[in-house]
């Protein structure tokens, strides 16, 4: 990180130049990714003490650490303007007036073994004054630019020595004009109350354990009429306050929760006090893509690109084994062979976990990359175990398994009677290729459409290529459904991902299989091309996966599909194969569950952000935020099915509304 003089920092602030730097002595880290009308500070975050003082200090490091506020800088790392003090409060306490900022005693203990030299006290006080010169310049600049400034003053407190029940968050307002700011302060309490922490009941109070009487609040209220400072004390539930050990899972949730709480609170407050001068804000976060995210994203893509599960999971000897099995379906056990994995799984995971995810400061973006890396590690375990007993275990880890509701929904669908005639499959693969090409031309998207051999699916997308099974024939409804499914979702999201500034949307977010297939089938439905027999196929896949997980044999599952559900020989083999390939592939139950969730989200509002690449349902809130911030691009291609006005199939609508 660059080191700058106070003069250089003040010059950058006055010129409103975004920058990240430390003061030249390393005492203060200042991050301004974008000039927004709110600041977050962590003035007791630091632990360092300069060498000249260390020989005089009487306290142990553990004693100092106990009274400092570790990790408070991490809680606000997502904010666009952060002042994080690296020096210990035992060197100078910024929350005390200048005259008393250097302790003699603190919390009943003598701090120094002997009297400090006058020159060292003067230096500590000079650092105190320098911080407030920088803060004053920053607030003045923001007030001049926006007419208003908010300051979130983050601290932490030890609670085990307090005998009464204490809140997770304490807002100190005694120095504020509480009557004037009452609605703003009440809203802050509500936002903080919504933060969820693992195994912790979150509570918020005002002026409970602390009243907000620190010097930073005094300084701001004295010098600025249009700035609201909100001192927030966080209970040290995120660490062992005595031993000093941290609880990483709680810290991660605090980072995520405080990002959301501060962002939503600041946006609402700034919008309200702008009095119509600006549009309602959805966020007050930076609109620039951090360089550390770009670098990590590039390194991750270079490592993980080209890992295609279906390339490895499709049996090489599919034709031969199908012929042998159908000759003797009662006793012959298919013996499929698979492509060899050309990746060292151990080195791959080692390189994955070496990626410096911790350098990403935005809590939600950091979490996104962590989960993608975890998913890639599980995927390589899955691929490395193809054809072994371990494969089913890894498939369950990666995709999960159908629950009781999934199975009940599948059985409900299978009870339905066909109510429309099924058209003959008179369209061959060559004609299907032409239909796909025409549809791609209407979208204006470049792609190849080819016939392919040795496929399980009737059609599939691989990169910018649509492969059509040369052994299949189609009726008009089925072909239209495939076009909306494969081209309208899978290929368009591939094309959209290519123009995003981050490669992660090509690799796929957690849950992307679930989301992609759900959205694709939703588009079949919205376009009027989801007949009951297609929906029943999805239900049968759930049944097949549940049978496989329960330990039934390939033969038994195949025969049950024929005898219990009147499935054709070819369809029964394909459905069974899809579930049993590799040693037990559970992915297929996600089609029906994905459709259910996609339809629910579609009814709730705009789902276009899910089409920017290989996204997941759970990431939609973050995707919407990043698009609103201008970090991600809105999808260039959107499925036509979303805006089509097809004739409603009342029976199909009833069935889908019932699952």
């Amino acid at each position: 990180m660059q080191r700058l003089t106070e003069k250089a920092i003040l010059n950058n602030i006055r010129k409103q130049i975004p920058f990240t730097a430390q003061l030249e002595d390393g005492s203060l880290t200042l991050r301004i990714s974008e000039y927004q009308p709110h600041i977050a500070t962590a003035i007791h975050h630091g632990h360092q003490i300069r060498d000249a003082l260390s020989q005089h200090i009487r306290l142990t490091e553990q004693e100092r650490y106990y009274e400092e506020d570790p990790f408070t800088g991490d809680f606000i790392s997502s904010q666009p303007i952060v002042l994080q003090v690296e020096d210990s409060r035992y060197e100078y306490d910024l929350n005390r007036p200048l005259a008393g900022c250097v302790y003699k005693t603190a919390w009943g203990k003598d701090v120094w073994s002997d009297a400090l030299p006058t020159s060292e006290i003067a230096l500590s006080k000079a650092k105190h004054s320098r911080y407030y010169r920088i803060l004053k310049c920053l607030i003045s600049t923001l007030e001049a630019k926006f007419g208003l400034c908010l300051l979130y003053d983050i601290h932490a407190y030890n609670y085990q020595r307090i005998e009464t029940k204490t809140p997770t968050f304490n807002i100190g307002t005694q120095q504020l004009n509480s009557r004037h700011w009452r609605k703003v302060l009440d809203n802050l309490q509500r936002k903080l109350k919504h933060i969820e922490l693992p195994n912790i009941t979150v509570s918020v109070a005002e002026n409970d354990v602390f009243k907000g009487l620190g010097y930073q609040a005094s300084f701001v209220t004295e010098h600025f009429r249009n700035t609201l400072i909100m001192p927030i004390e966080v209970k040290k539930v995120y660490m062992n306050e005595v031993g000093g050990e941290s609880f990483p899972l709680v810290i991660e949730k605090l980072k995520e929760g405080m990002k959301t709480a501060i962002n939503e609170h600041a946006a609402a407050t700034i919008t309200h006090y702008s009095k119509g001068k600006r549009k309602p804000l959805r966020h007050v976060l930076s609109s620039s893509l951090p360089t550390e995210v770009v670098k990590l994203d590039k390194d991750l893509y270079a490592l993980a690109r080209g890992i295609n599960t279906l390339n490895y999971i499709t049996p090489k000897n599919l034709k031969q084994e199908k012929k042998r099995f159908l000759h003797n379906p009662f006793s012959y056990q298919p013996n499929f062979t698979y492509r060899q994995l050309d990746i060292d799984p151990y080195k791959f995971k080692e390189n994955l976990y070496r990626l410096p995810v911790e350098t990403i400061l935005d809590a939600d973006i950091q979490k996104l990359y962590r989960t993608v890396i975890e998913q890639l590690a599980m995927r390589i375990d899955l691929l490395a175990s193809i054809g072994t007993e371990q494969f089913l275990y890894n498939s369950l880890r990666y995709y999960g398994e159908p629950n009781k509701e999934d199975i009940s929904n599948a059985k409900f669908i299978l009870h339905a009677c066909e109510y429309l005639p099924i058209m003959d499959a008179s369209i061959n693969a060559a004609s299907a290729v032409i239909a796909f090409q025409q549809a791609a031309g209407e979208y204006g998207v470049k792609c190849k459409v080819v016939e392919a051999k040795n496929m399980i699916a009737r059609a599939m997308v691989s990169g910018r290529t649509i492969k059509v099974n040369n052994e299949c024939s189609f009726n008009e409804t089925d072909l239209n459904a495939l076009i909306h499914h494969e081209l309208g979702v899978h290929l368009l999201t591939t094309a959209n991902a290519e123009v995003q500034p981050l490669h992660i949307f090509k690799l796929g977010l957690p849950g992307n299989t679930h989301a992609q297939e759900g959205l694709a089938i939703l588009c079949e439905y919205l376009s009027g091309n989801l007949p009951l027999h297609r929906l029943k196929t999805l239900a049968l896949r759930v049944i097949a996966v549940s049978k496989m997980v329960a330990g039934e044999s390939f033969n038994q599952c195949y025969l049950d599909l024929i005898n219990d559900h009147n499935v054709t020989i070819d369809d029964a083999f394909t459905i069974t194969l899809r579930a049993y390939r590799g040693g037990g592939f559970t992915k297929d139950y996600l089609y029906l569950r994905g459709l259910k969730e996609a339809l629910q989200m579609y009814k709730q509002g705009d789902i276009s952000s899910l089409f920017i690449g290989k996204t997941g349902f759970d990431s939609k809130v973050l995707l919407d935020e990043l698009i609103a911030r201008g970090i991600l691009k809105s999808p260039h291609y959107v499925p036509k099915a979303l805006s089509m006005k097809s004739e409603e199939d009342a029976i199909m609508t009833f069935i889908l509304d019932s699952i």
Side-chain angles (χ1 to χ4, degrees), residues 66-80:
Y66 178 73
E67 298 295 355
E68 292 161 349
D69 298 352
F71 302 103
T72 47
D74 298 64
F75 301 156
I76 55 175
S77 62
S78 303
Q79 302 307 316

Side-chain angles (χ1 to χ4, degrees), residues 300 364-379 397-399 504-517 519 590 597 601 610 613-620 622-623:
L300 177 61
D364 291 316
I365 298 177
Q366 183 189 85
K367 181 183 178 182
L368 182 67
Y369 276 88
R370 285 189 187 278
T371 52
V372 167
I373 287 170
E374 288 293 338
Q375 289 287 304
L376 286 168
M378 282 195 283
R379 193 195 301 183
R397 286 174 64 212
Y398 192 79
Y399 295 110
I504 196 173
F505 299 104
K506 300 178 193 175
L507 296 177
L509 303 187
N512 74 88
T513 300
H514 181 190
Q516 279 278 300
E517 300 306 342
L519 293 169
L590 290 173
E597 294 189 22
M601 296 189 81
L610 293 171
K614 308 304 180 183
T615 64
F617 291 139
D618 291 342
S619 303
K620 184 179 182 299
L622 178 58
L623 299 177

Side-chain angles (χ1 to χ4, degrees), residues 3 17 92 115 119 158 192 206 235 313 429 470 482 489-490 523 618 636 647 649 653:
R3 297 282 182 103
I17 299 171
Y92 52 94
S119 60
N158 298 312
L192 293 173
E206 184 176 335
K235 189 176 184 178
I313 199 66
N470 70 335
L482 280 172
V489 174
H490 295 327
C523 287
D618 291 342
H636 181 71
E647 184 177 343
D649 182 337
T653 298

Side-chain angles (χ1 to χ4, degrees), residues 1-6 8-14 17-24 26-33 35 39-42 79-86 130-131 133-135 137-139 142 361:
M1 185 181 297
Q2 65 174 331
R3 297 282 182 103
L4 296 177
T5 64
E6 177 190 356
I9 286 175
L10 295 176
N11 185 56
N12 282 349
I13 292 171
R14 292 185 183 112
I17 299 171
F19 67 99
T20 297
Q22 284 188 338
L23 274 168
E24 53 190 346
S27 61
L28 171 68
T29 299
L30 191 63
R31 293 193 298 271
I32 303 180
S33 56
Y35 284 84
I39 303 167
T41 65
Q79 302 307 316
I81 303 178
V82 174
L83 277 69
Q84 177 178 299
V85 177
E86 310 296 349
R130 181 177 58 185
Y131 171 84
R133 286 195 296 271
I134 292 172
L135 181 64
C137 177
L138 180 57
I139 296 176
L142 296 177
L361 298 176

